[in-house]
Amino acid sequence: MQALARRVELFNVTKTFGPVRALAGASWRFTEGRVTVVRGPNGSGKSTLLAIVGTLVRPTSGRVDHGALGGTRAEVRRTLGWLGHESLCYPDLTGSENIELAARLHGRDPGHALALAIERFDLGPFAKRPVRTYSRGQRQRIALARALVHGPRLLLLDEPTAGLDARATELLRGIVREEATRGAIVVLVTHDPGFAEAVGDETLSLDRGRTT
């Protein structure tokens, strides 16, 4: 019997922060091997939706089913790769040390993980410098490398092209498609229509917290 596809499903999810309603009855199914691009104007609930899918925020009402990824927040987080608005890299460590630390935390060989990251993300000599000396784009590349160090089954990317030049953006396009081909569930927020068209399999549009 063929195994069921891994998926994350939202059922009528609502999230309020005091008087502000960030999501209003959002429903969607995210499936392995597909890249879902989340689109919408500022304040439409995109980052909140990512945070709920990633178990960082609990919905006010409705339900999220992570299926085979796990029945608890801890189980889901072991499978999760996350890139938010902030890189969350340790500024006084080098980029290489940040990647090696992430590998150790996920039970991976740090030397092997670093070698793969340097080649895959074309990190170059800057990986040996402290992160606090980096440009925005260099921090973004290290953060992406950390997010992928354990081969996540659920990959959430919030504006991943921020700070990247054209060459690095092209590199990222290939990496996102590789992750989907590997079988990851990929959900990304972007305001870059060219990038969205290049990597996306489907589009989830949000308008004032509602899926459209």
Side-chain angles (χ1 to χ4, degrees):
M1 181 180 296
Q2 186 177 8
L4 293 176
R6 292 191 293 266
R7 83 290 182 279
V8 177
E9 196 159 3
L10 277 61
F11 299 92
N12 200 33
V13 168
T14 296
K15 180 61 183 179
T16 57
F17 298 96
V20 177
R21 184 171 61 179
L23 289 176
S27 297
W28 197 264
R29 175 178 287 186
F30 305 98
T31 307
E32 68 175 314
R34 294 181 67 79
V35 178
T36 303
V37 177
V38 183
R39 303 290 299 275
N42 292 337
S44 59
K46 301 184 298 298
S47 293
T48 299
L49 183 142
L50 279 194
I52 287 174
V53 171
T55 76
L56 300 183
V57 171
R58 296 182 185 274
T60 303
S61 63
R63 183 167 64 90
V64 182
D65 181 2
H66 286 89
L69 296 181
T72 68
R73 293 170 70 188
E75 289 173 338
V76 172
R77 289 179 181 183
R78 282 195 289 270
T79 75
L80 175 65
W82 176 277
L83 177 71
H85 287 286
E86 300 296 331
S87 73
L88 300 181
C89 294
Y90 292 96
D92 291 325
L93 297 181
T94 67
S96 296
E97 289 168 339
N98 270 277
I99 294 168
E100 290 173 327
L101 176 59
R104 290 190 184 94
L105 291 174
H106 286 288
R108 303 300 173 100
D109 178 77
H112 181 65
L114 177 60
L116 287 177
I118 288 174
E119 179 179 1
R120 193 178 191 194
F121 290 90
D122 191 22
L123 298 182
F126 76 83
K128 298 300 182 182
R129 300 197 329 255
V131 168
R132 56 182 164 74
T133 69
Y134 286 4
S135 68
R136 176 72 173 89
Q138 289 171 336
R139 289 197 305 273
Q140 190 80 332
R141 285 156 71 180
I142 294 295
L144 284 163
R146 288 198 326 167
L148 296 176
V149 76
H150 58 304
R153 292 192 290 171
L154 174 61
L155 179 60
L156 307 179
L157 305 172
D158 200 348
E159 299 291 354
T161 61
L164 299 184
D165 60 21
R167 181 169 174 270
T169 299
E170 184 63 30
L171 182 67
L172 177 61
R173 286 178 185 146
I175 289 170
V176 170
R177 290 309 316 171
E178 287 170 6
E179 291 300 304
T181 300
R182 180 177 61 80
I185 301 166
V186 183
V187 187
L188 70 89
V189 169
T190 183
H191 285 101
D192 182 339
F195 185 77
E197 183 177 357
V199 302
D201 295 305
E202 58 190 5
T203 301
L204 187 169
S205 296
L206 286 173
D207 182 16
R208 288 177 287 186
R210 298 185 182 276
T211 49
T212 61

